[in-house]
Amino acid sequence: MEYTWIFDLDNTLHDVQKKIFPVINQKINQYISKVVKINLTEANGLRQKYWCQYGATLEGLIKHHKINPTKFLEETHTLINFEKLVVPMLDLIKVLSSINGQKILYTNAPRNYANKVLKICQIEDYFDGLFSIEDSNFRAKPSAISMEFFLKKYKIKKAYFVDDVKENLETANQFGLSTIWLTNEEESPSYIDKKISKLSDLITN
């Protein structure tokens, strides 16, 4: 049986820390401030708290503030000069073109955002499927419910899962997937099968 390759998007296929995340985080803070009626400093703290607690700020906002997820995603991920904010990982196309097997994107990001990133990076043709936050009914990784939705949809039995967030890989390990952690962290949790410091290590190691 041929292995499927599962890839995260943000900070795995493109570097979000340099440009795009600061913009999105600011928009999320503004949204939280407006809807929850708190100042921007408090909104920033709440955004980070929910991200740490649930894997995505959105899930905390749904659970505790009953926000409309579709409206939230549209407001926070509609960006001016989108193409100037995307920074593809080094050798991205070379890596994806060198890997055999089905490739599926599994992201906590909304579908429209993910499709735009793939197009800007010129890698949309390398993927056989895209599983976005909408596909899991807004349940974000590392949720086991999200993982179960994903695996059932694509009928995945064997797969390598590449992600920069170790908690997502811990859930993947519980479902029997092989885990590859893209990181510069020193720790090596037992549920991580392989660590890489850059994406191109997938084809050089």
Side-chain angles (χ1 to χ4, degrees):
M1 181 186 295
E2 191 175 58
Y3 271 78
T4 294
W5 283 83
I6 304 163
F7 286 89
D8 171 52
L9 179 62
D10 293 332
N11 271 340
T12 298
L13 301 183
H14 71 125
D15 186 343
V16 298
Q17 304 299 344
K18 290 182 179 178
K19 296 181 180 181
I20 205 165
F21 261 19
V23 175
I24 291 176
N25 288 343
Q26 184 180 35
K27 289 171 77 73
I28 292 175
N29 288 346
Q30 290 168 347
Y31 183 92
I32 293 173
S33 176
K34 177 180 68 175
V35 172
V36 183
K37 296 180 172 54
I38 55 179
N39 65 44
L40 287 172
T41 301
E42 292 169 326
N44 185 58
L46 197 61
R47 174 182 62 80
Q48 294 181 16
K49 176 186 174 183
Y50 288 159
W51 189 89
C52 292
Q53 191 170 350
Y54 298 108
T57 301
L58 172 58
E59 191 163 333
L61 291 174
I62 294 171
K63 186 169 292 188
H64 299 288
H65 307 281
K66 306 294 189 289
I67 65 113
N68 181 315
T70 302
K71 188 174 181 181
F72 166 84
L73 293 170
E74 186 176 328
E75 283 197 29
T76 58
H77 288 74
T78 299
L79 308 174
I80 299 171
N81 296 324
F82 201 119
E83 64 281 353
K84 294 181 180 179
L85 300 174
V86 177
V87 182
M89 290 300 189
L90 189 65
D91 295 326
L92 176 59
I93 292 176
K94 181 180 178 182
V95 170
L96 293 177
S97 61
S98 299
I99 293 173
N100 295 320
Q102 179 179 230
K103 301 177 191 69
I104 301 173
L105 194 70
Y106 179 14
T107 177
N108 284 343
R111 179 169 292 273
N112 284 343
Y113 165 92
N115 277 325
K116 285 180 182 177
V117 172
L118 292 179
K119 187 172 183 179
I120 292 166
C121 293
Q122 300 181 330
I123 57 173
E124 64 266 45
D125 292 340
Y126 291 101
F127 286 92
D128 303 285
L130 163 58
F131 191 89
S132 67
I133 192 70
E134 295 95 336
D135 294 304
S136 62
N137 196 26
F138 305 105
R139 296 298 294 266
K141 295 180 290 182
S143 163
I145 294 172
S146 175
M147 178 65 70
E148 192 169 2
F149 280 153
F150 170 74
L151 295 176
K152 282 184 177 178
K153 179 174 181 177
Y154 293 101
K155 299 178 174 61
I156 293 172
K157 301 296 182 184
K158 288 186 173 183
Y160 298 106
F161 187 12
V162 186
D163 202 311
D164 66 295
V165 177
K166 67 180 187 295
E167 289 81 5
N168 298 341
L169 296 169
E170 184 175 14
T171 302
N173 172 264
Q174 292 166 4
F175 282 83
L177 305 184
S178 297
T179 56
I180 303 175
W181 189 19
L182 176 57
T183 185
N184 287 310
E185 297 287 338
E186 291 295 324
E187 63 176 309
S188 297
S190 60
Y191 52 83
I192 299 298
D193 295 308
K194 183 177 182 180
K195 283 172 62 177
I196 56 174
S197 60
K198 56 186 183 299
L199 196 65
S200 59
D201 288 341
L202 287 175
I203 56 176
T204 56
N205 282 357

